[in-house]
Amino acid sequence: MFKTALALLIIGASLFGEAYNFTELRYSDATGRYTQLEGTIDFTSDGLTINYPKAARELKYKNNFLTYFENDKEVALDEMHVTQITQYFDILKLLHNGDESEFKEMFEIDKSSTKTLLKPLGSMKSYIDYIELIKNENRLKYVKLFLKNSDNISINIDDEVR
């Protein structure tokens, strides 16, 4: 759950529409296993919704309030996870709305012709080593997060829903 929200942190960095399909592949170093999920992220004027239909999970962030659902039932999250996820979603909204100056305050940015590396500043650097972004024709297509615990999360942005 925590890693899912973290993975979605960067999806909004260069999205221009409102809703996108994505495929997420997570690697857990502790178990040596991969998990693949497919979902959508939908930006609204007052928040965002992330839906994993096959896993029957949904996260809604509206007016600075987070709700998490599994099998259409609301699930309570501990305060630490709520705080971390809402911080990520605030950043997602910021990135989607295009405030690049604030984004630059949160990451050290190293751009090349094919990819961008983001090194977190502040509290995020305690659990994220760095983030790799790959664009195709100036559209974000791939994100990979390298976490401090040796886990990683890859996200392929498949297409725009609307």
Side-chain angles (χ1 to χ4, degrees), residues 141-154:
K141 298 306 268 175
Y142 176 82
V143 177
K144 188 166 187 176
L145 292 95
F146 296 86
L147 306 178
K148 291 283 186 182
N149 65 357
S150 299
D151 290 0
N152 63 65
I153 303 164
S154 302

Side-chain angles (χ1 to χ4, degrees), residues 1-2 4-5 8 40 42 48-52 57-62 65-69 77 85 89:
M1 174 56 211
F2 165 75
T4 300
L8 293 169
T40 59
D42 187 10
L48 59 93
T49 299
I50 297 168
N51 188 4
Y52 296 97
R57 294 182 194 154
E58 182 177 63
L59 294 106
K60 289 185 178 185
Y61 186 55
K62 184 174 180 175
F65 185 74
L66 177 71
T67 51
Y68 174 61
F69 299 91
L77 300 173
I85 293 168
F89 285 2

Side-chain angles (χ1 to χ4, degrees), residues 44-161:
T44 62
S45 62
D46 56 359
L48 59 93
T49 299
I50 297 168
N51 188 4
Y52 296 97
K54 291 179 184 175
R57 294 182 194 154
E58 182 177 63
L59 294 106
K60 289 185 178 185
Y61 186 55
K62 184 174 180 175
N63 296 322
N64 298 317
F65 185 74
L66 177 71
T67 51
Y68 174 61
F69 299 91
E70 283 189 22
N71 298 313
D72 294 325
K73 294 181 183 177
E74 188 171 347
V75 176
L77 300 173
D78 64 64
E79 188 175 329
M80 180 184 76
H81 283 115
V82 169
T83 300
Q84 290 172 335
I85 293 168
T86 57
Q87 288 173 346
Y88 302 144
F89 285 2
D90 282 337
I91 293 168
L92 261 178
K93 287 180 5 185
L94 176 75
L95 298 174
H96 182 262
N97 293 336
D99 193 336
E100 192 173 324
S101 64
E102 284 189 50
F103 180 65
K104 288 180 180 179
E105 291 177 14
M106 301 168 127
F107 297 96
E108 178 183 317
I109 303 169
D110 182 15
K111 291 184 180 183
S112 73
S113 61
T114 58
K115 65 183 170 182
T116 300
L117 296 180
L118 304 174
K119 294 184 180 180
L121 304 172
S123 63
M124 266 194 289
K125 68 181 177 182
S126 66
Y127 45 90
I128 301 173
D129 275 332
Y130 63 96
I131 301 163
E132 180 180 274
L133 309 175
I134 297 178
K135 294 181 180 184
N136 182 7
E137 298 178 10
N138 291 326
R139 301 260 341 236
L140 186 63
K141 298 306 268 175
Y142 176 82
V143 177
K144 188 166 187 176
L145 292 95
F146 296 86
L147 306 178
K148 291 283 186 182
N149 65 357
S150 299
D151 290 0
N152 63 65
I153 303 164
S154 302
I155 300 169
N156 285 302
I157 300 169
D158 300 324
D159 58 10
E160 185 174 349
V161 177

